[in-house]
Amino acid sequence: MSQTTLQSQTVALTETGSDVELRKVFKVFNGETAVRGVDLTIGQGEFFSILGPSGCGKTTTLRLIAGFETPSAGEVLVRGQSMLNVPPNQRPVNTVFQSYALFGHMTIWDNVAFGLKIKGLTKAELEGQVREALVLVKMESFARRYPAQLSGGQRQRVALARALVNRPAVLLLDEPLGALDLKLRKEMQMELSSLHRELGMTFVMVTHDQEEALSLSDRIAVMNEGRVEQVGTPSEIYEAPRSPFIADFIGETNLLRGRLAQVDREGWQVETDHGSPIMVRPVADWQPGRGDAIAVSVRPEKVGLSLYPPEVKVNCFEGELQNIMYLGTHVHYAVELRSGEKITVMQVNTGGEMPTVSTQVYVHWSTQDGLAMPA
């Protein structure tokens, strides 16, 4: 199985133009609904991530695609074919687990070859495909070792080789890097990205790590309480979240709540619950009425901090520095406004002298950097 062969196996177009579809899928466990009417269409060759907090239904959704769980209602399709009553081992998907799930008593070679042996390939075919899979993940020199003799990152590469050797249409990744330390996790993220780019295969990854999803994915589905709240590109999810939950879950944000006080062409004026007047950019596809409850998201990196009153007329507030966190490349400032609201500011570390706690400061941001959404 050469890399070219793998590519030809995984990039052939289907009639639907998608590799995975979930149509109004529900899953109920003992009266508790874990997945609530999920609709997803995952395009061929995408790196698609399902992101959300623990218990949101993301792993159950992946298991429904893999066939380890059966939908209580709705339909799962892979390459346009319904997976109803199709067992996991007969689906054109393979799963890489966080725990690796390698056979400890088998060599790396035998672990990778296990699925192929069941298919009854000739010895020459089997050896060629196993060798190609190990070369793909740079583990060919470890073929005669056992899993216990490998590092966590090496075991993860073997798990990837074992999943890829069967030439699946879709590779499912269940928190694949969750067991690795931070440095190794970053390295494996680069490996996954390169592997996806080389193969052109559809990757569907479940993760709770926002940075991982943002850096690797073509598109992201954010789940909350069994539902998909938003699907979009990483920039769409980060820059234009559709709900306070998504704004708060993806990265850091200052989430201010209030009511719409005035609407004009330059923006909407929101009076926060603490009485602060905030100007935000209008939302094209949303027409709230005066007095409607609104949440405003302002990312910390969009907020300016100064010791003196800046020459701005809107979204400028005086406050006091409550805390300073030095993070090397950046500095986080926690500011309490005179109104009582708390604002987080993130600034690039320029090496200059930093203000001290209890200093009186001013925070400010542009109208375009305040994103309004239904509260």
Side-chain angles (χ1 to χ4, degrees):
M1 176 187 62
S2 67
Q3 183 173 307
T4 302
T5 304
L6 255 179
Q7 288 174 326
S8 66
Q9 291 284 333
T10 57
V11 300
L13 289 174
T14 65
E15 292 181 2
T16 63
S18 63
D19 266 351
V20 179
E21 288 184 72
L22 282 77
R23 299 176 178 173
K24 296 290 186 294
V25 171
F26 288 80
K27 181 60 183 178
V28 180
F29 294 103
N30 300 320
E32 296 291 329
T33 305
V35 174
R36 301 172 182 269
V38 167
D39 279 303
L40 283 177
T41 300
I42 301 172
Q44 189 152 39
E46 274 197 294
F47 197 126
F48 191 94
S49 291
I50 304 173
L51 174 67
S54 297
C56 72
K58 59 186 185 295
T59 295
T60 300
T61 300
L62 196 78
R63 290 175 63 83
L64 288 164
I65 299 170
F68 301 134
E69 302 290 351
T70 303
S72 303
E75 189 175 21
V76 176
L77 298 92
V78 178
R79 293 211 157 173
Q81 301 297 313
S82 174
M83 293 294 104
L84 182 64
N85 299 323
V86 179
N89 65 326
Q90 293 181 23
R91 298 189 180 198
V93 303
N94 266 32
T95 306
V96 177
F97 300 96
Q98 178 179 340
S99 62
Y100 317 129
L102 301 177
F103 300 114
H105 65 287
M106 292 184 182
T107 64
I108 300 312
W109 179 278
D110 289 333
N111 264 279
V112 176
F114 182 79
L116 296 180
K117 289 179 179 178
I118 296 174
K119 291 183 175 181
L121 300 182
T122 67
K123 183 178 180 181
E125 289 174 330
L126 186 145
E127 289 184 353
Q129 292 187 22
V130 172
R131 187 180 302 108
E132 294 285 355
L134 289 172
V135 168
L136 192 64
V137 297
K138 304 172 186 175
M139 289 298 293
E140 64 273 19
S141 61
F142 297 85
R144 298 306 169 192
R145 294 193 187 182
Y146 289 85
Q149 298 173 307
L150 304 181
S151 68
Q154 290 169 335
R155 288 197 292 272
Q156 188 58 272
R157 287 189 177 91
V158 175
L160 281 167
R162 189 177 60 181
L164 292 169
V165 78
N166 285 310
R167 308 179 185 180
V170 181
L171 184 67
L172 305 177
L173 301 151
D174 186 8
E175 299 274 8
L177 310 181
L180 306 180
D181 62 51
L182 181 60
K183 183 178 180 181
L184 189 53
R185 191 180 183 114
K186 297 292 186 186
E187 292 175 3
M188 284 302 298
Q189 285 176 6
M190 294 293 292
E191 296 272 0
L192 270 182
S193 180
S194 298
L195 199 59
H196 174 257
R197 188 169 56 252
E198 291 169 13
L199 295 176
M201 182 184 291
T202 302
F203 282 18
V204 182
M205 179 178 72
V206 157
T207 181
H208 66 273
D209 188 311
Q210 301 97 322
E211 182 182 330
E212 188 166 276
L214 290 171
S215 62
L216 290 176
S217 310
D218 296 312
R219 287 193 305 147
I220 301 168
V222 183
M223 291 191 69
N224 182 31
E225 296 182 348
R227 296 183 176 88
V228 173
E229 290 216 0
Q230 186 173 349
V231 179
T233 65
S235 62
E236 288 169 345
I237 295 290
Y238 186 81
E239 299 290 349
R242 292 179 184 170
S243 71
F245 167 78
I246 296 172
D248 194 41
F249 184 74
I250 305 294
E252 295 184 60
T253 196
N254 295 292
L255 201 59
L256 307 169
R257 296 178 183 272
R259 294 191 176 276
L260 183 62
Q262 186 175 334
V263 175
D264 58 41
R265 292 181 179 180
E266 295 182 1
W268 297 348
Q269 182 173 314
V270 176
E271 183 173 331
T272 71
D273 292 343
H274 288 72
S276 301
I278 296 176
M279 289 295 293
V280 301
R281 56 179 159 135
V283 180
D285 58 352
W286 180 37
Q287 297 289 327
R290 189 170 297 178
D292 285 356
I294 283 183
V296 178
S297 169
V298 185
R299 296 293 185 185
E301 68 272 16
K302 307 288 189 181
V303 182
L305 182 77
S306 61
L307 297 174
Y308 306 99
E311 295 182 0
V312 293
K313 296 180 180 179
V314 297
N315 300 336
C316 181
F317 307 98
E318 187 176 0
E320 182 179 284
L321 267 179
Q322 298 292 306
N323 191 29
I324 301 171
M325 293 182 64
Y326 178 81
L327 301 176
T329 58
H330 292 79
V331 182
H332 275 211
Y333 298 97
V335 180
E336 182 174 335
L337 306 186
R338 285 193 169 183
S339 61
E341 287 162 315
K342 306 291 178 61
I343 297 291
T344 299
V345 183
M346 182 173 69
Q347 293 191 331
V348 175
N349 178 20
T350 59
E353 185 177 350
M354 293 184 292
T356 58
V357 171
S358 298
T359 299
Q360 298 300 304
V361 295
Y362 293 86
V363 298
H364 53 92
W365 61 88
S366 75
T367 299
Q368 293 301 310
D369 291 330
L371 178 64
M373 62 194 73

